[in-house]
Amino acid sequence: MAGSRLPVAALSLKQFLQRQKVLGIYRNMLRTIRKVPDETDRKYLRDWARDEFKRNKTATDQDAIRMMITQANNHLEELQKSLALAGS
């Protein structure tokens, strides 16, 4: 009898969608950081974002992950607002 073709660590649909959301936030964060005019600030923010996402990569608690997604979205919105104000 043939076993399942899915890998042992296959994600559920909910986990997959959540992972896609997190990766989207990460990409948007890096795109927004690229718009920061000062090179030093840009490097600091890029390193901060990478460290935060890497540090939380192994999180499994769904409530904690939802909270981190909310916080990341808030940080992203703040950064985008700051850049918009600096550009005006």
Side-chain angles (χ1 to χ4, degrees):
M1 179 178 240
S4 173
R5 296 181 68 190
L6 292 174
V8 176
L11 299 174
S12 70
L13 177 61
K14 187 174 184 177
Q15 290 170 325
F16 175 79
L17 293 173
Q18 199 169 48
R19 182 176 186 272
Q20 293 306 306
K21 185 184 290 188
V22 170
L23 291 174
I25 294 169
Y26 181 67
R27 283 191 294 269
N28 285 337
M29 185 82 71
L30 292 180
R31 281 188 203 113
T32 302
I33 289 170
R34 275 191 233 133
K35 297 175 185 174
V36 173
D38 183 60
E39 175 64 33
T40 306
D41 291 340
R42 196 169 43 244
K43 181 178 179 347
Y44 171 79
L45 288 170
R46 187 175 51 241
D47 291 345
W48 169 80
R50 285 179 179 164
D51 290 344
E52 284 296 307
F53 278 84
K54 198 177 288 188
R55 185 169 56 88
N56 294 310
K57 182 179 180 177
T58 59
T60 56
D61 180 34
Q62 293 301 310
D63 290 333
I65 293 171
R66 279 194 294 274
M67 181 193 67
M68 288 184 271
I69 288 172
T70 301
Q71 287 178 338
N73 275 322
N74 290 341
H75 286 302
L76 179 58
E77 288 175 17
E78 271 307 306
L79 180 58
Q80 289 169 337
K81 287 178 187 176
S82 296
L83 287 171
L85 287 175
S88 16

